[in-house]
Amino acid sequence: MSVFMDLNIINSSDKNRLKHIIETAAHLGYSTVAINYVVEPLQKKQEIPNPQSISDLFDKFPVVQGKSSPIKVLNRLTIVASDASHFRPTNEYKKFDLVAVYPKTEKLFHAACMTFDVDIICIAVTEKQPFHFKRAPVNGAIDRGIFFETCYAAAIRDSITRRYTIANAICLMEICKGKNVIVSSGAERQLELRGPYDIANLGLVFSLSEGDAKAAVSTNCRSVLLHGETRATASGVIHTMKKPQILQKEEEETPAAKKARTELA
Amino acid sequence: MEDSSKFERYVYKNASVYHYMKISLVLEKENRNISDAQFKQLIISGVKDLYGEIGASFPFDLLKFDPKELTGILRVYNSGLVKLWSALTLLGSYQNEACAFRVTQVSPFLLALSGNSRELQFGDRAQVALRR
């Protein structure tokens, strides 16, 4: 059985609050959480924040209820894109384990599905969807292994955003037929988190099938993680590692021509 | 020679008409006095907010309530389980105060709610039993 994951916990500067949220998540049964750094590039050159080191948060990570291993915490970046120039995959993006984009226009949604190098595409929850989903880009995204994400914290906070969340989610499920969907919290406080089986039940409200609803919290989240890991590799087969420095002394004894060829084994 | 004993096999597709849910209410401020009527009223208002008058018109019962721990056991017909569960999930505030419903267990059988591996505690009793 796949483990449960919550891939959207909004980052806050208050470390204590973040600690409480992660402790609650571990208590509820989530094996992995991702701290989400949301960036909305309004000015021309906005800095991408550096993800803080995870070991700063906890000395000893809280143990997931029901298992004996501690909770795993990842870093995730979300770019709120209202213009094509906002999304520029630079080296800063590589510091994050997951990259997500929140497209605000139809053109950007199409571009994000077909060309952008992201793992997750976020669906609007706090406002009415400004554009309709078309089957072509959605199927293109599914082929590329990109997942669509719905957050449920807005549905808990306010009744108006609840309507938008459910309406947008149902719209998405109709077009994508329940494939490649993840549901995450988007929680800013620990009381906005819900247990994984509660969310699987919420998937039924979003007109997912029972199997898809549970997969949205478990299997699909794991697929997103793997997609994020392979983003730094060549087709997921080869990945690069920094080679440890060989001591210079040994190389000086023999001239270069007589050096044994150790590189090609 | 004895006749080979006949046996019949009963297959229950859905053995129970009800589903039982063990839930607990977590509030932001810990000390609050909530009576069982208020607890049930909170749940009914949550279901009504989400599903409206007609959607909320399925019966459910609060079988047990602990006012100190704010835990309770609900009973609902199978047809109303998804609605009740989703209403509990999306309920966010009680009298302008943030709250959360934690669903501990859901089972079609009430007996299953009596034992819970999450509350299992190994203590002195287990050690005494081993020594014997």
Side-chain angles (χ1 to χ4, degrees):
Chain A
M1 200 198 76
S2 199
V3 293
F4 295 115
M5 306 189 188
D6 186 3
L7 294 181
N8 193 346
I9 292 187
I10 307 285
N11 178 45
S12 72
S13 41
D14 185 3
K15 262 195 186 179
N16 254 339
R17 197 198 258 190
L18 213 50
K19 274 177 90 164
H20 283 182
I21 298 181
I22 296 181
E23 275 167 13
T24 312
H27 180 74
L28 287 172
Y30 289 106
S31 307
T32 309
V33 288
I35 301 181
N36 189 10
Y37 293 78
V38 183
V39 171
E40 187 158 359
L42 295 163
Q43 305 117 8
K44 271 259 172 176
K45 292 213 170 187
Q46 185 145 11
E47 294 283 321
I48 311 268
N50 262 331
Q52 65 181 79
S53 159
I54 298 167
S55 36
D56 282 346
L57 276 176
F58 284 102
D59 288 325
K60 199 178 155 205
F61 279 91
V63 176
V64 178
Q65 180 181 78
K67 299 198 203 291
S68 54
S69 51
I71 196 169
K72 216 171 123 187
V73 180
L74 304 169
N75 286 318
R76 165 189 151 166
L77 174 69
T78 301
I79 309 272
V80 180
S82 26
D83 192 65
S85 60
H86 288 166
F87 185 77
R88 248 173 295 113
T90 57
N91 274 332
E92 313 252 333
Y93 289 34
K94 294 201 183 145
K95 294 187 198 152
F96 293 91
D97 304 297
L98 297 170
V99 174
V101 73
Y102 180 176
K104 293 268 194 187
T105 66
E106 176 146 25
K107 263 193 177 182
L108 276 173
F109 180 74
H110 189 101
C113 289
M114 302 301 234
T115 51
F116 282 4
D117 188 16
V118 286
D119 306 311
I120 301 171
I121 295 181
C122 304
I123 301 299
V125 278
T126 50
E127 53 183 6
K128 201 169 109 164
Q129 190 80 31
F131 52 88
H132 284 291
F133 297 113
K134 297 250 171 67
R135 211 160 276 233
V138 167
N139 284 339
I142 292 176
D143 288 334
R144 285 178 65 210
I146 298 181
F147 286 78
F148 297 96
E149 179 201 45
T150 310
C151 298
Y152 62 79
I156 294 175
R157 278 179 223 142
D158 190 27
S159 73
I160 301 175
T161 48
R162 190 187 284 185
R163 239 186 309 144
Y164 290 147
T165 310
I166 298 181
N168 294 344
I170 292 182
C171 218
L172 171 70
M173 307 308 171
E174 266 180 42
I175 304 280
C176 73
K177 300 204 196 86
K179 284 197 267 187
N180 282 39
V181 173
I182 63 172
V183 181
S184 57
S185 67
E188 292 169 9
R189 294 180 297 176
Q190 69 176 83
L191 281 176
E192 286 172 8
L193 278 176
R194 294 289 183 268
Y197 289 101
D198 298 341
I199 307 307
N201 191 60
L202 211 55
L204 292 175
V205 175
F206 292 163
S207 72
L208 285 173
S209 71
E210 276 194 30
D212 284 339
K214 195 165 177 220
V217 205
S218 55
T219 324
N220 291 357
C221 292
R222 188 169 168 270
S223 304
V224 172
L225 276 194
L226 294 174
H227 193 274
E229 277 179 26
T230 59
R231 224 175 351 102
T233 69
S235 303
V237 178
I238 304 171
H239 72 268
T240 56
M241 225 167 56
K242 214 172 179 182
K243 195 171 152 185
Q245 294 287 337
I246 310 172
L247 290 169
Q248 288 295 320
K249 269 193 187 171
E250 296 170 30
E251 292 184 19
E252 281 173 21
E253 289 175 10
T254 52
K258 291 190 184 168
K259 237 190 323 185
R261 290 221 167 173
T262 50
E263 282 133 25
L264 297 169
Chain B
M1 233 175 55
E2 286 175 17
D3 283 330
S4 56
S5 53
K6 293 181 190 166
F7 59 89
E8 288 181 349
R9 187 170 59 157
Y10 292 97
V11 176
Y12 287 106
K13 276 225 162 145
N14 198 1
S16 175
V17 184
Y18 298 110
H19 260 85
Y20 298 89
M21 300 176 76
K22 196 186 221 181
I23 62 176
S24 96
L25 177 60
V26 177
L27 293 166
E28 212 170 353
K29 289 173 211 155
E30 294 295 324
N31 32 349
R32 270 289 213 150
N33 281 332
I34 300 184
S35 74
D36 44 6
Q38 286 174 319
F39 194 76
K40 191 168 178 197
Q41 183 54 36
L42 172 64
I43 301 176
I44 291 180
S45 69
V47 181
K48 212 185 260 190
D49 277 342
L50 189 57
Y51 288 106
E53 290 273 357
I54 293 182
S57 53
F58 59 88
F60 70 93
D61 307 301
L62 181 64
L63 297 178
K64 272 211 184 267
F65 180 63
D66 183 354
K68 270 177 285 173
E69 302 282 326
L70 290 180
T71 58
I73 297 186
L74 299 175
R75 178 183 64 184
V76 67
Y77 279 97
N78 289 341
S79 49
L81 174 67
V82 174
K83 285 187 185 168
L84 181 62
W85 199 347
S86 53
L88 288 172
T89 307
L90 292 181
L91 223 157
S93 69
Y94 172 61
Q95 289 179 0
N96 287 326
E97 194 190 301
C99 74
F101 269 104
R102 302 277 180 233
V103 175
T104 325
Q105 266 181 300
V106 178
S107 169
F109 306 106
L110 192 51
L111 191 57
L113 298 184
S114 63
N116 186 3
S117 57
R118 289 186 197 191
E119 288 161 23
L120 190 61
Q121 277 175 7
F122 290 113
D124 297 329
R125 277 192 198 166
Q127 290 177 0
V128 168
L130 283 172
R131 272 183 221 148
R132 283 184 197 163

